Amino acid sequence: MTMVANLSDKMLVPQPAVVVGRTQESPSIFTLKLRLEDGAAQAAFRHSLGQFNMLYLPGVGEVPISIMSDPEDQQAIGHTIRAVGRVTNRLAELQIGDRIGLRGPFGRGWPIENMKGRDVVVITGGLGCAPVVAVIHYILRRRADYGHLTIIQGVKKAEDLIWRDQYAQWNTHPDTHVMVAADEGGPLWPWHIGRVTDLFGRIPMQPDKAMAVMCGPEGMMVVSAKMLAEHGMPEENMFLSMERNMHCAVGHCGHCQFGGAFVCKDGPVFSWPQVKGLIAHRGF
Amino acid sequence: MTEQRKSLTLKVPVLTRVEGEGALDLRIVDGNIEELRLRIFEPPRFFEKFLEGRHYSEVPDIVARICGICPVAYQMTAVQALEKLFGVEVSPWVHDMRRVFYCGEWIQSHALHIHLLAAPDFFGCNSAIELARIHPDVVRRGLRLQELGNEIMALFGARSVHPVGLRVGGFHHAPALSQVKILRQKLMDAIPEAEALVRWTSSIPLPADSQPFVSVALKHDSTYAIETGFIAASDGFLVDSQEYDAHFAEYQQPYSTALFSAYHQQPYLVGPLARLNLSQNQLPENIRKLIAETGLVFPNGNVFISMAARAVEILFALQEAARLLGNYAVPDSRHVSVRPRAGIAFGATEAPRGLLWHRYEVDEAGLIKNARIVPPTSQNQARIEEDLRLSLLNFGLNQPDDALRLHCEKVIRNYDPCISCATHFLRVNVERSSS
Amino acid sequence: MSANKSAKPKVAVHKFSSCDGCQLALLDMGPALLDLAEQVDFVHFAEAGPFDDQARVDLAFVEGSIATSEDLARIRLIRENSKMLIAIGACATSGGIQALRNYANGMQWAAQIYPQPEHIDSLPQSTPLSAHVKVDFELWGCPVNSTQIVGFINNFLLGVLPRDNADKVCTECKRRRLPCVLVSRGIPCMGPVTRAGCGALCPGLGRDCYGCYGPAENPNTDSLTAQFRRLGLSPDDIARRFKNVNNFSPAFREAAAKAGGTHD
Amino acid sequence: MNLPLGTLRFLGFHKLHELFGELQFRGYRCMGPAIEYDAIVFRELASAKELPRGVQAEQSPGQFRLTRDPRNRYFAWANGPQAIKPFAFAPRESLWQVQRDQEGALKFEPLAPQPAKTAIIGVRACDLAGLALQDAHFLKPPYPDPNYEIRRKSLFLVAVQCAEPAATCFCASTGDGPTPQSGFDLTLAEMENGFVISAGSEAGTEVLAALKLEEATPKQVQEAKEQGEAAAQKQSRSLPGRDLRPVLMNNLEHARWDNVAARCLSCGNCTAVCPTCFCHAEMDEPSTGTGESLHVRQWDSCFNEGHACIHGHNVRPDTRTRYRQWLTHKLASWHDQYGRSGCVGCGRCITWCPAGIDLTEEIAALGVNA
Ligand SMILES: Cc1cc2nc3c(=O)[nH]c(=O)nc-3n(C[C@H](O)[C@H](O)[C@H](O)COP(=O)(O)OP(=O)(O)OC[C@H]3O[C@@H](n4cnc5c(N)ncnc54)[C@H](O)[C@@H]3O)c2cc1C
Ligand code: SF4
Ligand code: SF4
Ligand code: SF4
């Protein structure tokens, strides 16, 4: 009993934040730019890539949402959100000027510094996955600092791929390859039909030095990690972002436990060796 | 003057501000009432059947569901009937606290009836919410009293609708002294409010509409009867609850899912006015004085006075509960042990709306073989129709439709009919002949 | 936020076969009822006065079970007229205590009871609303309490549905720091299979829960039945535990049938 | 005047009321054992006279029965359903509130509890061990929980050595009892006509000094020691004290999980009575028409539906995975988190499980030998 906590600790009680920008990315996905109302707090806000905030709708509830904006952007905090349920559907109705609560940043993010100079493989599945998109943006903005960038996305059906233009646009960057696979293709589907893992043989990388960042359905990440290992990537170079139920975000409420780890503070980004023992087990 | 109307059919498809759903059909032909029906169409709920095969200990939780507004009445009548059959003597503490518990229901139900159901009629309002715009203090006072009634019930039963504290043999739980002290203080503080309520209800101008009828209620020689007494009628009749059947008969009308009831072949009144008509001299001194002061007179043949009668009973129930809680102590035991015995159990108590009668046949294992429950609204049904006829003639059949309709509703609401109670399932003793 | 604050939401309260107890969650609120009436517009609430059973509304709270053919037509109309339909109470969510007649031949009962059963309009079964129309939210309990209804309205005013809580009564019992009476008194508490919401009223009085909030999520009625047997209950006793206020909910119905016994 | 920590004194039964008096004089309300619904719980006691003397309890899986203690002692009962947990980690409390004004501006305000200073009399060694684990969890930097901390600091703990462990106790095997070792302000060992008493904190030594007691005789001290050892010997259940990570985590698909799931009610009673379980849920309670909302937290359990929900998917939808989460967290992953097992051997989850599930038996059935 040594620490005396400051009651108004911004990490435990939300601070008012105002919506300063809003973009509809797809019918159900939108991006909010938020600014803490307290100017000093906004100026002091620092996060690292892969961390998340708790966004709070008064009277409704709090949800964990990854921070999308560039860590060097101090004007606003960006969040790309998919409207899926009670809180996020309501967040989708926010307009510029509206206020919500925000606390954060929480958790451990991507080892972005360690990736410098290396080939990077980004693997995501299902619908667009915010935490890795932030990595893509980050690298593309500092293109010269990184080696080959391969973006691999798997979807079930061709129509599930959102941001088609975005993928096409990423593909135009130097040393950047976008590979998309759909289990079921469709007319004018320019990419692979089949499983994502079919594409692994074609990743331009120096496997022993490359790093992988993954986010998406856990089953997909498990298969991807195994395949990458088969292609020669050391397990400790693979990272993934996990999602679990979260209420407090500071390791107290117990909901996000994954074995001995609290995803909120020990993650959400983990290295593959940290999680590989349990991730395949239904129930953890 | 409007000319004498030839014929009129008035239908009120759903009576508002009554508990449960019923309708009124009125047909006037050539200045005569050809048809007048209080039509209760709620589907029957067959409670007596549900009770068959149940253990006696389950009865309080089941019969409560007959009515959300007066569950205590059903629970109390049932447990007392069963205790009498089983030869169970409850402790004085249980006895007193049950009366307090019952007072809570009277306060709650009466305050609800006055403010949410009946009073708006007398101010040309459609609801208490509208009435609150004209008389906010009156309505708030009424709702506070209602809340207090709920609190008393919750003290013993954890909630006021379908409370869970009563059992055959006593209570499940005794509230802590500290809780009782706080509540008692609130009751004391509310007494002046209840007095003001009596004054207010008695100051509301009422139609002069005195009618001859028999009042039936429980009567007790030393207290104002609530949970115990003999069944009495204003014609001097007095019997034990066991003999109810010999004097009261139920019958069906094709338009109603609630049975009608007759006392010696005639309609009769049960409820607060009937009680005051029979037992006003059992009220404490100060209440009788207040009654005299306000000009209220009992016995009274004007059923419109029922609202004031309820106010008087609220005051009485508050005082009575406060009195009984005065020397409260947590008892050593909250209930006595019960050993079932085969036989027939009878019980009667005064539900807020009037006499409630139960009869259970029980086997030696304590399982219910059959049950009969006669709720107050069934008993009032015939009287309501009779009143409507007399009252309409008195009011004048040539009044505009709306006025007629409103008058009928007003008359019906006086009785605070509870349709949920009435249709809990109904049963008549009819001789069925089969060929 | 974008919620349209200009118009108060229109609310209807309807009643079907019931004891009226669930509507009391509103009528028993005390003066707070008047404050609530500031936030929403009760356009139909027969027991409280406002009558407009054909009104188009944002929220319809419906008490009672469907028991007559007339009920059937009425609930369909209410569904059509309501943006959101909320079933309140055991009657509306599981058929209520009157669903006990579903186990017998209801019409036969009517014949035993009424001299002229032909005047009684009664469907063969008493059923929950969800058997006939789409229900947007269910508030369980016999009766529901004001916290549930007002909580629903408060959430609705914020543009969301409340979080559903289908945890067991035990969770509330333990938060109240009550000793478990099943363990300390050996009485057959239904808490472990019953949905939370009442605040563990019965164990709070030292007695057993009798399941009036209906089945909880993931209820292990088999295990509880086994425990009741160990406490000395007969198959009949056990069947009756489940055949109570929420007898027609699938979980309790099945448990009662499995318990065996002769009670019907 | 303080005494050196560990000084042993003797408090005769006739002086027990002085302990209450001294604590009350120092502004503590005294919480002690009381009988409620045929169980032993902690309630505020006005004086030592209200202690239920001569009460004992027989405990077995799913059953708790009060009995008479032939020796008429004060603390012959081993433990009741409640540990210290609810006093520090409230079952339900508001954390903060928010107010939205007409213009839509938000104001957040933390809500700090203001607990009365509370002395708990009759704390057991297992409870102290449990509290130490809760401290480790809630007070861990960088975000110590302020509400927990405030409540925790309001406590003064009077521990009692267990002389009569229940049949469900196994604290000896986990190394947490039956004699309190640390974490208390005062500790008592009940003897024939009084208590050997000593202090474990500054606050405790002050109270002890103020009581002006005789020193305990070497004989009394020896007897107390032997009583503790004998109590440890009496325990019939046990749990391997070692790290069970390897065995449990290698048996995640064992058939026993299905077997226990068939019996488990998934009611969460075990987690509620456990002195170490810390899971809680947060939620919001908007009020009507005022723009105000409370942010509340309350005890949650890994046996509850919402514990592991993520959108459109429940990570632990069934009892098998929920029970496995509970047992593997308690006995295995706790080692990763706090360097030891999360079980302190109090046996509460065994007694208070309405289905009588016994974790020591489950562990054995999973093939783990003591
Ligand atoms: C670390 C982290 C980062 C995330 N980043 C993003 C992001 O950048 N963009 C985005 O759109 N979504 C993100 N999510 C998922 C997002 O938190 C959920 O979609 C959201 O909580 C759903 O809430 P709801 O009330 O709208 O949905 P509902 O389905 O109504 O919620 C139901 C219940 O599940 C819980 N819940 C549902 N999904 C999650 C979840 N994934 N994590 C935790 N609890 C959940 C809720 O708390 C609630 O108890 C992230 C989740 C985590 C854990
Ligand atoms: S659910 Fe229960 S309280 Fe509600 S109306 Fe039906 S019987 Fe009455
Ligand atoms: S008393 Fe009933 S509700 Fe409470 S914990 Fe025990 S079984 Fe559950
Ligand atoms: S404890 Fe059970 S029976 Fe009692 S009120 Fe709650 S849900 Fe109903």
Side-chain angles (χ1 to χ4, degrees):
Chain A
M1 296 232 306
T2 44
M3 288 281 298
V4 176
N6 175 358
L7 267 186
S8 60
D9 195 315
K10 65 184 193 318
M11 301 304 269
L12 299 178
V13 180
Q15 306 189 75
V18 61
V19 178
V20 295
R22 187 189 185 288
T23 322
Q24 194 70 39
E25 311 276 2
S26 83
S28 66
I29 298 177
F30 57 99
T31 298
L32 295 178
K33 281 197 179 306
L34 301 170
R35 192 177 294 146
L36 292 172
E37 281 200 311
D38 176 354
Q42 176 61 42
F45 188 93
R46 291 280 177 287
H47 76 276
S48 55
L49 216 58
Q51 282 192 302
F52 66 97
N53 282 327
M54 294 299 283
L55 299 188
Y56 173 66
L57 261 177
V60 178
E62 268 188 313
V63 284
I65 302 288
S66 305
I67 307 170
M68 273 291 291
S69 43
D70 198 290
E72 279 162 35
D73 176 0
Q74 270 147 47
Q75 295 310 302
I77 307 163
H79 289 287
T80 297
I81 306 167
R82 189 153 66 92
V84 292
R86 190 172 169 273
V87 179
T88 48
N89 282 334
R90 200 77 188 93
L91 285 171
E93 294 172 21
L94 290 174
Q95 300 298 331
I96 288 176
D98 287 343
R99 270 86 138 220
I100 61 170
L102 181 153
R103 57 189 182 98
F106 297 107
R108 295 192 326 184
W110 303 107
I112 196 79
E113 283 306 308
N114 291 348
M115 294 183 203
K116 269 200 179 144
R118 301 179 188 234
D119 298 334
V120 177
V121 184
V122 175
I123 302 172
T124 99
L127 290 158
C129 200
V132 290
V133 175
V135 174
I136 298 170
H137 285 160
Y138 187 94
I139 293 178
L140 292 179
R141 269 186 221 118
R142 299 161 183 78
R143 195 64 202 88
D145 296 350
Y146 295 85
H148 270 296
L149 173 63
T150 311
I151 301 167
I152 301 182
Q153 157 95 47
V155 289
K156 268 216 187 72
K157 294 191 200 126
E159 351 24 310
D160 291 346
L161 183 68
I162 56 158
W163 293 328
R164 261 172 114 133
D165 298 346
Q166 169 117 63
Y167 281 87
Q169 197 265 333
W170 286 336
N171 212 9
T172 63
H173 283 263
D175 270 350
T176 304
H177 295 263
V178 173
M179 303 186 196
V180 188
D183 294 345
E184 296 169 33
L188 302 179
W189 179 249
W191 289 296
H192 179 75
I193 297 178
R195 280 168 309 168
V196 215
T197 41
D198 302 342
L199 306 167
F200 282 28
R202 292 190 251 144
I203 302 173
M205 62 169 174
Q206 246 186 298
D208 54 326
K209 295 218 184 64
M211 289 179 90
V213 301
M214 300 184 272
C215 173
E218 286 174 13
M220 178 217 78
M221 296 198 284
V222 171
V223 178
S224 301
K226 287 187 180 150
M227 292 292 283
L228 287 172
E230 275 174 28
H231 284 91
M233 187 181 285
E235 290 193 335
E236 58 278 14
N237 286 6
M238 306 175 198
F239 292 83
L240 49 86
S241 184
M242 302 263 302
E243 277 192 19
R244 282 296 178 271
N245 190 310
M246 285 178 191
H247 292 211
C248 72
V250 293
H252 290 162
C253 80
H255 288 93
C256 70
Q257 288 176 88
F258 176 71
F262 292 92
V263 173
C264 67
K265 65 185 174 80
D266 302 325
V269 172
F270 293 95
S271 72
W272 175 245
Q274 284 177 301
V275 299
K276 70 170 188 182
L278 274 186
I279 195 166
H281 272 284
R282 186 178 153 272
F284 285 94
Chain B
M1 274 308 273
T2 46
E3 71 180 275
Q4 176 78 34
R5 203 157 1 166
K6 283 274 176 282
S7 48
L8 157 75
T9 305
L10 188 71
K11 281 192 189 279
V12 183
V14 178
L15 293 163
T16 59
R17 281 185 285 122
V18 297
E19 287 119 359
E21 298 193 337
L24 176 74
D25 297 346
L26 171 67
R27 201 170 69 221
I28 298 171
V29 178
D30 294 334
N32 291 317
I33 299 177
E34 282 283 295
E35 183 187 286
L36 191 157
R37 294 168 165 185
L38 174 61
R39 199 155 51 80
I40 289 182
F41 49 78
E42 276 221 11
R45 291 168 77 226
F46 303 104
F47 271 84
E48 280 102 333
K49 275 285 175 193
F50 304 160
L51 287 163
E52 290 176 11
R54 291 279 172 175
H55 192 247
Y56 74 86
S57 60
E58 300 171 77
V59 173
D61 293 326
I62 294 176
V63 294
R65 266 73 191 179
I66 293 174
C67 177
I69 297 147
C70 54
V72 172
Y74 285 91
Q75 296 186 322
M76 285 281 290
T77 315
V79 296
Q80 292 187 159
L82 293 164
E83 284 164 1
K84 203 157 83 190
L85 170 66
F86 299 159
V88 169
E89 256 324 308
V90 299
S91 68
W93 179 88
V94 167
H95 203 273
D96 287 354
M97 292 309 117
R98 282 180 173 176
R99 194 165 157 92
V100 174
F101 189 40
Y102 217 139
C103 284
E105 181 160 286
W106 275 25
I107 297 168
Q108 178 275 144
S109 174
H110 283 357
L112 184 147
H113 177 258
I114 295 174
H115 301 91
L116 289 161
L117 312 184
D121 279 339
F122 296 90
F123 295 87
C125 293
N126 195 24
S127 71
I129 296 168
E130 279 180 29
L131 183 60
R133 292 192 194 116
I134 324 174
H135 291 298
D137 296 344
V138 168
V139 176
R140 280 185 187 266
R141 175 183 67 202
L143 297 181
R144 274 199 305 277
L145 285 168
Q146 187 190 341
E147 215 176 19
L148 208 48
N150 284 326
E151 275 185 59
I152 299 175
M153 285 190 274
L155 181 70
F156 295 96
R159 66 181 170 199
S160 59
V161 182
H162 309 334
V164 298
L166 203 61
R167 58 180 284 170
V168 180
F171 281 103
H172 283 288
H173 175 82
L177 180 60
S178 54
Q179 269 179 298
V180 170
K181 279 189 170 157
I182 295 169
L183 183 59
R184 181 166 186 272
Q185 190 54 50
K186 287 195 195 171
L187 298 180
M188 301 294 289
D189 294 345
I191 288 174
E193 301 217 318
E195 287 168 350
L197 176 64
V198 173
R199 291 204 179 83
W200 181 72
T201 48
S202 59
S203 72
I204 297 170
L206 302 178
D209 194 2
S210 201
Q211 300 173 7
F213 55 79
V214 180
S215 296
V216 172
L218 289 188
K219 210 172 160 178
H220 194 278
D221 352 319
S222 54
T223 58
Y224 192 78
I226 301 179
E227 78 293 357
T228 167
F230 285 96
I231 298 172
S234 49
D235 59 8
F237 168 84
L238 193 76
V239 292
D240 186 82
S241 60
Q242 234 157 291
E243 289 158 61
Y244 175 89
D245 247 353
H247 303 275
F248 296 81
E250 286 179 287
Y251 59 97
Q252 188 189 2
Q253 294 281 22
Y255 53 84
S256 180
T257 50
L259 291 187
F260 285 65
S261 182
Y263 160 68
H264 297 155
Q265 279 85 50
Q266 55 184 321
Y268 59 103
L269 176 81
V270 297
L273 179 57
R275 288 192 288 257
L276 276 170
N277 282 348
L278 288 165
S279 301
Q280 85 277 10
N281 53 7
Q282 291 293 1
L283 290 172
E285 181 74 44
N286 70 314
I287 300 182
R288 275 184 284 150
K289 253 167 103 187
L290 180 68
I291 290 176
E293 218 179 277
T294 53
L296 290 169
V297 179
F298 299 107
N300 200 312
N302 185 352
V303 183
F304 284 110
I305 215 88
S306 294
M307 195 165 66
R310 287 193 175 85
V312 169
E313 287 195 339
I314 289 177
L315 174 60
F316 169 70
L318 270 178
Q319 264 185 221
E320 184 71 352
R323 181 181 72 81
L324 290 166
L325 291 174
N327 297 314
Y328 183 86
V330 175
D332 289 336
S333 84
R334 319 159 300 270
H335 55 82
V336 290
S337 58
V338 174
R339 206 66 67 82
R341 187 191 283 174
I344 298 179
F346 294 95
T349 69
E350 281 296 328
R353 280 157 203 77
L355 184 67
L356 172 59
W357 184 81
H358 290 208
R359 176 189 185 276
Y360 300 95
E361 200 177 328
V362 187
D363 72 10
E364 55 293 341
L367 299 177
I368 306 297
K369 287 169 74 176
N370 61 60
R372 258 188 72 200
I373 294 172
V374 182
T377 294
S378 301
Q379 304 183 64
N380 269 340
Q381 241 191 144
R383 172 84 266 276
I384 298 175
E385 289 192 349
E386 179 188 61
D387 185 347
L388 278 168
R389 259 173 216 282
L390 297 172
S391 186
L392 276 176
L393 292 173
N394 186 20
F395 184 63
L397 293 179
N398 51 356
Q399 299 275 2
D401 289 13
D402 267 358
L404 278 180
R405 184 185 50 82
L406 184 65
H407 187 80
C408 290
E409 288 192 58
K410 219 160 148 176
V411 167
I412 294 168
R413 283 188 201 115
N414 272 325
Y415 291 81
D416 192 8
C418 179
I419 290 161
S420 305
C421 290
T423 56
H424 70 281
F425 140 55
L426 327 130
R427 177 185 183 117
V428 221
N429 277 334
V430 278
E431 297 271 301
R432 281 176 169 284
S433 52
S434 51
S435 44
Chain C
M1 235 176 295
S2 53
N4 183 1
K5 289 274 171 201
S6 55
K8 288 200 264 177
K10 288 190 172 39
V11 176
V13 179
H14 293 275
K15 173 185 156 63
F16 287 84
S17 190
S18 72
C19 80
D20 259 33
C22 288
Q23 301 184 47
L24 286 183
L26 287 161
L27 296 179
D28 266 350
M29 278 175 68
L33 175 62
L34 300 178
D35 303 330
L36 187 66
E38 298 285 305
Q39 303 301 319
V40 298
D41 199 359
F42 288 106
V43 294
H44 174 78
F45 190 172
E47 187 160 334
F51 187 86
D52 183 357
D53 59 353
Q54 312 281 317
R56 292 194 164 267
V57 294
D58 297 293
L59 294 182
F61 290 103
V62 184
E63 168 191 283
S65 66
I66 304 304
T68 67
S69 48
E70 186 268 345
D71 286 354
L72 256 178
R74 192 153 62 95
I75 189 64
R76 293 197 179 119
L77 181 71
I78 292 169
R79 174 68 271 186
E80 263 174 45
N81 283 340
S82 317
K83 284 201 191 129
M84 208 170 266
L85 189 156
I86 303 104
I88 59 170
C91 299
T93 51
S94 78
I97 192 155
Q98 58 270 20
L100 283 171
R101 76 170 157 92
N102 301 358
Y103 300 87
N105 182 335
M107 295 325 289
Q108 206 174 313
W109 278 4
Q112 286 171 24
I113 293 154
Y114 289 94
Q116 295 152 285
E118 63 278 13
H119 297 307
I120 306 298
D121 169 18
S122 189
L123 291 171
Q125 294 200 320
S126 161
T127 42
L129 307 185
S130 60
H132 309 285
V133 294
K134 173 174 168 266
V135 173
D136 297 297
F137 205 82
E138 293 188 325
L139 296 173
W140 287 73
C142 179
V144 293
N145 56 42
S146 334
T147 312
Q148 291 170 276
I149 296 207
V150 176
F152 186 93
I153 293 177
N154 288 342
N155 271 277
F156 178 81
L157 291 170
L158 288 166
V160 293
L161 291 176
R163 282 201 195 291
D164 198 18
N165 177 3
D167 294 342
K168 281 106 192 165
V169 170
C170 299
T171 60
E172 295 184 318
C173 182
K174 296 306 100 187
R175 281 183 208 121
R176 288 184 62 188
R177 301 164 57 192
L178 300 165
C180 174
V181 293
L182 192 151
V183 170
S184 72
R185 293 188 156 166
I187 53 178
C189 187
M190 291 279 284
V193 295
T194 301
R195 186 184 256 263
C198 71
L201 298 181
C202 294
L205 298 184
R207 64 167 288 187
D208 46 330
C209 164
Y210 56 95
C212 84
Y213 267 63
E217 159 278 335
N218 188 21
N220 193 343
T221 51
D222 286 347
S223 172
L224 193 63
T225 294
Q227 191 62 8
F228 285 177
R229 231 181 278 129
R230 279 190 285 274
L231 295 176
L233 274 70
S234 71
D236 261 354
D237 295 337
I238 297 169
R240 289 199 315 269
R241 297 295 295 156
F242 290 103
K243 269 188 159 173
N244 206 322
V245 181
N246 286 288
N247 60 79
F248 208 55
S249 65
F252 287 0
R253 194 159 85 195
E254 196 183 299
K258 269 199 192 168
T262 52
H263 179 85
D264 63 16
Chain D
M1 182 199 68
N2 283 11
L3 297 169
L5 282 184
T7 304
L8 296 162
R9 294 277 150 114
F10 191 76
L11 176 76
F13 284 155
H14 61 288
K15 286 194 152 196
L16 189 52
H17 69 279
E18 289 180 22
L19 173 62
F20 276 70
E22 186 57 35
L23 290 167
Q24 283 159 341
F25 173 75
R26 284 161 192 266
Y28 291 101
R29 58 173 183 158
C30 293
M31 305 294 285
I35 294 175
E36 194 179 295
Y37 303 152
D38 302 326
I40 296 164
V41 299
F42 285 113
R43 284 286 173 269
E44 182 163 3
L45 304 181
S47 73
K49 271 194 292 212
E50 292 182 15
L51 283 170
R53 199 170 174 180
V55 171
Q56 210 170 355
E58 251 172 50
Q59 305 193 36
S60 59
Q63 188 161 314
F64 184 98
R65 290 291 177 276
L66 291 176
T67 54
R68 287 299 308 172
D69 165 36
R71 296 190 300 174
N72 201 32
R73 287 194 170 184
Y74 284 97
F75 297 100
W77 48 278
N79 59 26
Q82 296 162 2
I84 321 170
K85 180 164 90 172
F87 292 98
F89 171 30
R92 186 177 162 81
E93 67 182 320
S94 298
L95 298 180
W96 39 267
Q97 66 180 21
V98 59
Q99 168 81 50
R100 186 191 279 284
D101 71 13
Q102 296 293 322
E103 277 71 54
L106 300 177
K107 207 168 140 241
F108 291 91
E109 203 183 317
L111 300 170
Q114 293 175 311
K117 282 171 73 179
T118 301
I120 312 180
I121 296 153
V123 165
R124 305 294 168 157
C126 53
D127 299 346
L128 294 167
L131 190 67
L133 281 175
Q134 291 255 305
D135 285 350
H137 179 72
F138 283 110
L139 299 176
K140 191 173 179 170
Y143 306 119
D145 185 88
N147 292 48
Y148 179 90
E149 186 169 10
I150 290 169
R151 291 183 195 281
R152 175 71 176 90
K153 284 190 164 155
S154 71
L155 300 181
F156 183 99
L157 304 173
V158 181
V160 184
Q161 177 197 56
C162 282
E164 314 273 0
T168 43
C169 292
F170 54 95
C171 62
S173 66
T174 62
D176 296 299
T179 301
Q181 303 298 333
S182 64
F184 49 79
D185 294 291
L186 289 173
T187 185
L188 310 173
E190 186 167 7
M191 318 301 297
E192 207 178 312
N193 46 19
F195 304 91
V196 172
I197 178 171
S198 67
S201 72
E202 288 294 308
T205 62
E206 278 178 39
V207 173
L208 191 55
L211 287 173
K212 304 205 173 50
L213 302 171
E214 301 278 303
E215 238 172 78
T217 64
K219 184 163 168 278
Q220 287 167 332
V221 174
Q222 184 58 28
E223 260 180 50
K225 189 165 164 273
E226 283 167 9
Q227 179 167 272
E229 286 160 4
Q233 289 301 316
K234 279 190 223 165
Q235 296 189 358
S236 52
R237 283 186 164 71
S238 72
L239 198 67
R242 67 197 146 85
D243 183 351
L244 295 181
R245 266 178 296 189
V247 247
L248 279 175
M249 298 320 254
N250 287 332
N251 274 307
L252 294 178
E253 305 306 330
H254 199 288
R256 186 69 180 185
W257 300 116
D258 290 314
N259 176 300
V260 68
R263 286 170 285 133
C264 174
L265 296 161
S266 197
C267 67
N269 269 335
C270 50
T271 61
V273 296
C274 176
T276 70
C277 274
F278 50 67
C279 284
H280 56 264
E282 295 182 22
M283 60 205 60
D284 296 275
E285 292 185 351
S287 58
T288 307
T290 61
E292 225 171 67
S293 183
L294 274 183
H295 190 74
V296 175
R297 82 161 159 214
Q298 63 181 23
W299 287 359
D300 198 359
S301 166
C302 49
F303 287 95
N304 289 346
E305 182 180 32
H307 194 269
C309 273
I310 57 178
H311 175 74
H313 175 62
N314 192 339
V315 175
R316 290 186 280 280
D318 50 35
T319 306
R320 176 182 176 276
T321 49
R322 295 183 198 175
Y323 188 88
R324 192 181 63 182
Q325 167 66 20
W326 178 68
L327 200 68
T328 56
H329 177 222
K330 190 105 324 201
L331 301 180
S333 7
W334 215 292
H335 285 273
D336 295 325
Q337 298 170 344
Y338 299 106
R340 60 157 291 177
S341 139
C343 175
V344 294
C346 71
R348 286 187 174 91
C349 59
I350 304 175
T351 301
W352 298 99
C353 172
I357 295 170
D358 174 351
L359 87 166
T360 64
E361 202 179 298
E362 295 314 310
I363 282 291
L366 283 161
V368 184
N369 309 312

